[in-house]
Structure formats: C-alpha cells, structure tokens
Amino acid sequence: MTEEELLKQTIGNENHFRVPDGFFDRFAAEMMEKVEDTSIEEQHNATTTHRNAIVRKLVPYLAVASVVGLLFGVAVFHNPDTGEQNASVPVQTLVSSSSGDALDQMADYVMLDNQDLYSYMSNEY
C-alpha cells in the first residue's frame, strides 16, 4: 500500500478547510470600514516618520562630507606659497625657468604660435 492510499483511508477525500458562514457576504463592508478608519492624516504621519528616519540616518554622513569639503577648500584656497607672489614675476623669468618641452606643450594646448608668444612677452598685445 502506498503512502497516498494510506492517507486517503485515514483522512478521506473530505476538504477540511472551511470558511465561516456568511464570510464573503459581509467581507466587502468590513473591508470598507477598515479602509475608512485609516485617515489621510495617519498616512501622512507615516510617510513623514519614514522621511525623518532617512534624514536621521544621513545626517552623520552629511556632516562628515561637509567637514571634508571644508578642509579641502581651506587646503586649496589658503595655500601661503601661492598667491600674489607669482603675479609679480615677469613672464621672461617663467619662460626661461621652464623647460622647452613643457613650453611647447603649453603653447600647443592654448594654440599659440611663435608670433603670439613674442607679442605677449614683449607686452605688445
């Protein structure tokens, strides 16, 4: 005898799952009562609570990011070695101190030819 036949003999073919009488007759009315009970204000409170939880989680990361950004900005813009000192250095000094290859790369980058370079160095522009 197989397991399935044994189960059919002991339990039978009867469906043991039952729904209470009149359940589906009053189901729609009960569901509408439950839906009406949850007001719009409660739904709004639930969404704002969710938003507040997200913001609370992000605050430490935003604080760290702002401090890092502030330190980076201070390091870049408040470097005492740079500033007005380079503005007073003549162009001839800068040109003579840089290598020829670097000057060629800079001239190619800004698309200057020799005539433009001579006019800028002699202040005839």
Side-chain angles (χ1 to χ4, degrees):
M1 179 176 274
T2 65
E3 186 177 337
E4 186 176 339
E5 291 172 353
L6 181 64
L7 286 173
K8 279 186 182 180
Q9 280 182 349
T10 54
I11 298 175
N13 288 335
E14 185 180 341
N15 187 359
H16 296 283
F17 299 102
R18 302 198 189 279
V19 177
D21 294 334
F23 177 78
F24 289 109
D25 295 337
R26 61 180 188 257
F27 178 75
E30 288 179 6
M31 186 57 69
M32 290 305 294
E33 288 176 12
K34 289 180 182 179
V35 169
E36 290 172 1
D37 286 346
T38 59
S39 67
I40 294 173
E41 184 177 323
E42 290 174 0
Q43 293 173 357
H44 177 70
N45 289 340
T47 55
T48 47
T49 303
H50 179 69
R51 287 183 194 150
N52 290 343
I54 291 173
V55 168
R56 275 189 233 123
K57 289 180 183 177
L58 289 178
V59 165
Y61 296 111
L62 293 173
V64 169
S66 64
V67 168
V68 168
L70 179 70
L71 292 175
F72 179 74
V74 167
V76 168
F77 295 112
H78 187 65
N79 191 351
D81 294 337
T82 61
E84 295 298 322
Q85 298 167 356
N86 288 343
S88 63
V89 176
V91 175
Q92 289 84 4
T93 307
L94 291 174
V95 170
S96 64
S97 67
S98 63
S99 68
D101 187 39
L103 184 61
D104 288 339
Q105 288 177 355
M106 287 188 283
D108 288 341
Y109 181 74
V110 294
M111 292 192 263
L112 293 174
D113 58 0
N114 288 340
Q115 186 63 33
D116 293 332
L117 286 174
Y118 295 144
S119 67
Y120 286 133
M121 285 194 278
S122 66
N123 296 328
E124 294 178 7
Y125 55 93

